[in-house]
Amino acid sequence: MRVVIVGGGPAGASAAGLLAQQGVDVLLLEKARFPRHHVGESLQPASLELLDEHLGLGEELRSQGFANKFGAVYVWGESREPWSVLFDERLERALPETEAELLAGDFESALQVDRARFDTLLLRAAEAQGAEVREGVEVRSVQLEGRRGVELVDGSFEPADLVLDASGQRCLLGRDLGTLRMVQDLRCSATYAYVEGAGGVPGVLGRHVQWVVTVPEGWAWFIPVSATRTSVGLVYKEKGLLSAERFWERIEGAFPCKREQVDGELRFAKDWSFTNTAFCGEGYALLGDAACFVDPILSGGVDFAIRSGFAAATSALTGDWGSYEDSLRRQYKAYLRLARYWYGNNRSVDGFFWQAHREIPAHATATPLRAFVYLTTGRYAAERHLKVFQRWQEEKMFKALGVDAAALEKARKKR
């Protein structure tokens, strides 16, 4: 089997690494040359475990100087008092007295990363597993009928038995197939920047959490990505980049940072929510943002990409694409319900952004706090993926030993 992957971000790199590790002929084509900038710095614990399980990256990622993330602190809802959602239930009950005790503990945590470095590490790991990686190569179109493969902008053609679209919000295949669908009530934009030397949340959590604050235009984020560097941004309903004056007025009013600390220019992103009517079909599958994207309030984008990358690779190995479609659809809908829940339950800020979200019911979902944490750690999806992958490994091993399917199923039932 020859697999061609379009896009070398977390979804494409994860799929390429796992497939190549299992002996599949993999060609990954990436339009940019890494390292390259990308927004979306906040990770979940389960994604780090998957990267360690499949690609052995746990220790290397932890040694990069990325910021620890124990959860998030919010100023959201009717009260302007901050409250937290932390990954480890012990931290919800009682915080350590000092930062040193927090960092020395065995509390569940994730990372907040510089995506340029993080994505490069993942791409190089896929290459180390045996995937052929070509950077600076743009795919013009995907051919699914007749001779399957991808056509490059230089006119050349790369044949494939399976094409995995990990092209991000370019949504190469979704647009070509006409399966792309926008989520109209969650169409937003974002202006963001990076600052050096900012503070953090008051108290022991300091720079070890994501910080989110509602403002009249929408909501603002504060994500430390190292000991000194912080991503700050504003999400709103308007189209286009905000003026520097308006942006910094809101950011300085919400967080302990100043315009003079900015490193670089203001940046813009379309944080629009969308999905596809199908995530896979004959000879193809959609991964990460190319499949779907949900409003960034839950910071699930990069984790969704990693999980879908590994899940697609497992489906390519097992041939079970029905499970891939069903699992990805469930995860997408869960994130969508939660995003609507967050917006529907905000009643503290007036302004166009919040008026536009009044159509969202206040109880669009009724997810208890720990169930919410379970989803935002990525634990459910990761556990399910590893179970499927391990079952495939079992079947492969028993087949090599000459054990037939009926005997294998009989053995399983005796457990």
Side-chain angles (χ1 to χ4, degrees):
M1 177 171 61
R2 188 177 199 242
V3 178
V4 172
I5 301 176
V6 183
S14 297
L18 181 53
L19 286 170
Q21 182 187 86
Q22 298 301 320
V24 176
D25 179 9
V26 180
L27 171 62
L28 186 151
L29 304 171
E30 167 56 46
K31 179 180 177 181
R33 292 192 179 277
F34 282 37
R36 56 92 175 95
H37 167 75
H38 203 292
V39 72
E41 300 92 350
S42 208
L43 303 185
Q44 298 169 351
S47 293
L48 294 176
E49 294 177 15
L50 287 176
L51 289 170
D52 193 36
E53 175 79 20
H54 288 311
L55 302 179
L57 288 175
E59 185 176 340
E60 184 174 5
L61 288 172
R62 291 284 185 184
S63 70
Q64 292 295 312
F66 297 137
N68 287 297
K69 177 187 176 183
F70 293 95
V73 170
Y74 299 90
V75 178
W76 192 286
E78 293 184 359
S79 171
R80 302 311 286 169
E81 289 296 317
W83 50 278
S84 64
V85 176
L86 305 177
F87 297 138
D88 198 302
E89 193 169 1
R90 292 172 295 172
L91 294 178
E92 288 284 359
R93 293 195 296 266
L95 291 172
E97 293 185 0
T98 67
E99 179 186 33
E101 291 176 320
L102 176 69
L103 297 178
D106 63 345
F107 304 112
E108 186 167 22
S109 65
L111 295 174
Q112 297 179 146
V113 302
D114 173 349
R115 282 289 302 278
R117 290 169 52 211
F118 176 80
D119 290 7
T120 301
L121 285 170
L122 265 59
L123 191 62
R124 297 286 85 84
E127 205 167 28
Q129 294 295 335
E132 180 184 354
V133 174
R134 299 183 199 167
E135 298 174 59
V137 177
E138 184 176 356
V139 174
R140 173 180 291 151
S141 64
V142 177
Q143 178 68 45
L144 297 176
E145 300 294 334
R147 188 187 180 201
R148 186 178 299 154
V150 299
E151 181 187 0
L152 309 184
V153 293
D154 65 7
S156 61
F157 186 85
E158 291 292 342
D161 298 300
L162 173 67
V163 177
L164 300 181
D165 180 10
S167 61
Q169 295 197 8
R170 180 186 176 191
C171 300
L172 179 66
L173 256 177
R175 295 183 192 279
D176 286 350
L177 296 173
T179 58
L180 187 65
R181 299 289 184 273
M182 302 302 299
V183 180
Q184 298 297 333
D185 59 318
L186 293 177
R187 295 182 70 165
C188 301
S189 300
T191 295
Y192 64 101
Y194 295 88
V195 295
E196 285 288 342
V201 172
V204 67
L205 292 174
R207 292 180 57 78
H208 307 300
V209 288
Q210 178 181 355
W211 193 357
V212 174
V213 175
T214 53
V215 297
E217 288 86 349
W219 58 272
W221 78 71
F222 182 99
I223 302 176
V225 296
S226 73
T228 61
R229 187 172 175 82
T230 307
S231 170
V232 293
L234 189 63
V235 176
Y236 47 91
K237 271 288 183 181
E238 302 169 39
K239 294 181 180 180
L241 183 76
L242 292 183
S243 69
E245 290 70 23
R246 189 174 172 192
F247 175 78
W248 288 111
E249 177 186 0
R250 292 306 181 193
I251 294 298
E252 291 178 338
F255 305 122
C257 62
K258 298 294 182 183
R259 179 174 179 173
E260 292 73 23
Q261 294 171 300
V262 67
D263 179 16
E265 301 296 323
L266 293 187
R267 299 174 181 266
F268 172 75
K270 293 184 294 185
D271 285 325
W272 294 354
S273 299
F274 58 85
T275 186
N276 279 270
T277 55
F279 295 144
C280 56
E282 185 64 32
Y284 79 91
L286 313 179
L287 285 59
D289 285 1
C292 53
F293 181 80
V294 178
D295 187 281
I297 183 60
L298 300 176
S299 298
V302 66
D303 300 272
F304 200 86
I306 292 168
R307 293 198 303 271
S308 68
F310 285 133
T314 301
S315 290
L317 294 168
T318 63
D320 182 7
W321 287 104
S323 294
Y324 178 77
E325 175 81 33
D326 293 344
S327 177
L328 207 60
R329 188 73 58 189
R330 282 198 301 271
Q331 292 180 60
Y332 163 74
K333 288 182 176 179
Y335 272 96
L336 187 63
R337 285 195 301 270
L338 278 173
R340 285 171 168 157
Y341 177 81
W342 279 80
Y343 288 130
N345 277 281
N346 182 79
R347 297 291 182 267
S348 65
V349 181
D350 292 326
F352 172 73
F353 183 93
W354 301 106
Q355 289 176 5
H357 284 88
R358 284 181 179 175
E359 65 188 80
I360 300 173
H363 299 289
T365 185
T367 306
L369 177 62
R370 294 321 300 175
F372 166 77
V373 176
Y374 188 69
L375 175 68
T376 55
T377 59
R379 185 72 56 212
Y380 167 77
E383 288 172 353
R384 186 179 186 282
H385 160 74
L386 287 175
K387 183 177 180 180
V388 172
F389 182 74
Q390 288 162 2
R391 177 165 179 154
W392 170 77
Q393 287 182 312
E394 279 186 2
E395 291 174 349
K396 183 180 179 182
M397 178 181 68
F398 280 116
K399 184 177 180 180
L401 293 173
V403 180
D404 63 28
L408 177 56
E409 192 59 34
K410 185 178 179 180
R412 281 204 183 98
K413 289 179 180 178
K414 290 182 178 180
R415 291 181 180 178

